[in-house]
């Protein structure tokens, strides 16, 4: 709803403009602001991420070298460009360790799409979504399930946060496949963040491709949902891999071993 007392449009939401000698009307700013406010509410961005923007995204300069983390710089650049060029026919898949800033960037994309381009967006933590769907099964009425799912399936841009992948059950796999395939067929944009389990990286080296090469972490994480779904995600999203300096240090640290056990 436009503002009733707006001096530019007298509360109609449309203000007159003159292009050359032709009088036209255009959407008033009060209406645009109002729409952004509505879209922000509808997007369900959790409070702890409300402030997330490109301007306050920390590319974490290394204390010794003073160099910004190039993974984070690149991730920010891609995310920013994604907003600039929207509408796009692909989404973004942010992959990285916990605390790397994946959700921050993904939420920044949502907020910019809403505030600058008026795009309807929706945020869902993957586990919360599964729980909501499951809970609604126990309820007498199934309306909440269909309402929740309906929005997940049809909102123009969906952010699925924390696509956790620890031995997902068949039901979880099927639910995710349903969401992803429906959105893919409708040409809707999906943003996903997923965490790489990093401790097992070197331990689990018995996983090999048929050619005998070690399977990269990203592949292995997504393979838990099945090869078909993994291919589909690659098809519909640009993969943005983030490694933080801390992450690299941790990996390095894990490779130091005493010669003799303590
Ligand atoms: Zn107005």
């Amino acid at each position: 709803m436009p503002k009733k007392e707006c001096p530019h449009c007298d509360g109609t939401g449309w203000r007159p403009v003159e292009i050359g000698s032709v009088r036209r009307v255009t959407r008033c700013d009060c209406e645009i602001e109002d729409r952004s406010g509505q879209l922000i509410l509808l997007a369900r961005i959790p409070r702890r991420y409300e402030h997330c923007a490109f301007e306050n995204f920390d590319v974490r300069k290394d204390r010794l070298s003073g160099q910004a983390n190039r993974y984070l710089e690149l991730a920010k650049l891609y995310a920013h460009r994604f907003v600039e060029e929207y509408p796009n026919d692909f989404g973004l898949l942010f992959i990285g360790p916990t605390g790397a800033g994946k959700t921050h960037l993904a939420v920044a994309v949502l907020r910019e799409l809403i505030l600058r381009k008026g795009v309807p967006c929706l945020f869902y933590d993957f586990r919360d979504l599964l729980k909501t769907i499951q809970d609604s099964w126990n309820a007498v009425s199934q309306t909440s399930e269909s309402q929740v799912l309906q929005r997940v399936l049809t909102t123009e841009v969906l952010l699925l946060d924390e696509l956790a992948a620890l031995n997902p059950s068949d039901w979880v796999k099927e639910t995710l496949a349903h969401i992803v395939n429906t959105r893919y067929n409708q040409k809707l944009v999906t943003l996903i963040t997923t965490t790489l389990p990093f401790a097992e990286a070197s331990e689990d080296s018995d996983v090999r491709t048929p050619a005998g090469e070690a399977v990269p972490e990203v592949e292995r994480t997504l393979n838990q949902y099945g090869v078909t779904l993994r291919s589909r995600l690659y098809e519909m999203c640009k993969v943005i891999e983030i490694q933080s300096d801390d992450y690299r240090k941790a990996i390095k640290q894990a490779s130091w071993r005493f010669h003799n056990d303590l």
Side-chain angles (χ1 to χ4, degrees):
M1 292 291 286
K3 290 198 178 76
K4 270 188 192 139
E5 290 92 38
C6 176
H8 307 291
C9 68
D10 295 323
T12 61
W14 297 92
R15 64 180 170 83
V17 282
E18 278 185 31
I19 302 163
S21 57
V22 186
R23 282 188 135 247
R24 293 252 170 91
V25 288
T26 186
R27 245 181 227 289
C28 184
D29 285 347
C30 73
E31 170 101 333
I32 294 170
E33 274 168 33
D34 204 61
R35 181 173 154 79
S36 298
Q38 291 287 328
L39 288 175
I40 285 283
L41 288 177
L42 284 170
R44 301 183 72 264
I45 296 168
R47 235 191 162 145
R48 58 188 287 226
Y49 297 123
E50 258 172 4
H51 68 285
C52 293
F54 290 124
E55 297 77 44
N56 58 24
F57 182 71
D58 184 6
V59 291
R60 280 179 233 162
K61 292 194 173 128
D62 189 278
R63 255 178 294 155
L64 293 177
S65 67
Q67 297 288 310
N69 179 324
R70 65 192 170 89
Y71 288 100
L72 294 175
E73 267 186 331
L74 204 59
K76 183 180 175 181
L77 191 73
Y78 281 137
H80 198 262
R81 189 163 298 168
F82 182 85
V83 173
E84 294 295 326
E85 295 182 1
Y86 192 87
N88 303 310
D89 56 2
F90 60 91
L92 300 173
L93 174 56
F94 294 91
I95 300 184
T98 304
K102 305 179 296 290
T103 304
H104 185 125
L105 273 185
V107 169
V109 170
L110 280 202
R111 291 182 71 246
E112 294 265 317
L113 286 177
I114 292 170
L115 298 173
R116 288 177 46 199
K117 304 205 166 180
V119 178
C121 297
L122 181 63
F123 178 109
Y124 253 108
D125 174 279
F126 186 53
R127 277 160 302 184
D128 284 351
L129 175 62
L130 293 174
K131 193 170 181 316
T132 306
I133 294 172
Q134 256 169 347
D135 285 352
S136 68
W137 279 4
N138 306 326
V140 182
S141 136
Q142 298 225 337
T143 47
S144 53
E145 181 209 4
S146 49
Q147 275 170 5
V148 168
L149 253 189
Q150 209 51 36
R151 287 204 62 213
V152 167
L153 296 177
T154 59
T155 301
E156 186 171 326
V157 176
L158 171 72
L159 167 53
L160 268 188
D161 192 41
E162 280 299 318
L163 196 69
L166 265 180
N167 306 317
S169 68
D170 285 346
W171 178 76
V172 170
K173 286 187 210 168
E174 280 162 25
T175 305
L176 181 62
H178 176 52
I179 293 169
V180 164
N181 288 325
T182 305
R183 296 187 57 82
Y184 177 80
N185 291 332
Q186 299 297 321
K187 295 191 159 76
L188 295 170
V189 165
T190 308
L191 310 177
I192 294 172
T193 75
T194 187
T195 301
L196 288 180
F198 87 85
E200 303 126 72
S202 50
E203 315 282 323
D204 209 7
S205 52
D206 54 322
V207 184
R208 305 265 159 190
T209 65
E213 296 145 346
V215 178
E217 275 299 281
V218 177
E219 304 266 315
R220 272 202 287 143
T221 302
L222 296 178
N223 272 350
Q224 298 189 73
Y225 289 102
V227 177
T228 315
L229 187 63
R230 189 206 64 194
S231 315
R232 176 51 53 83
L233 289 175
Y234 276 138
E235 217 175 317
M236 58 195 277
C237 293
K238 175 171 178 55
V239 174
I240 299 183
E241 197 178 347
I242 299 177
Q243 295 185 20
S244 68
D245 283 332
D246 291 346
Y247 180 54
R248 276 179 288 162
K249 272 176 208 148
I251 291 283
K252 177 93 177 150
Q253 204 58 46
S255 68
W256 302 131
R257 295 263 193 270
F258 289 105
H259 288 300
N260 300 304
D261 287 334
L262 292 174

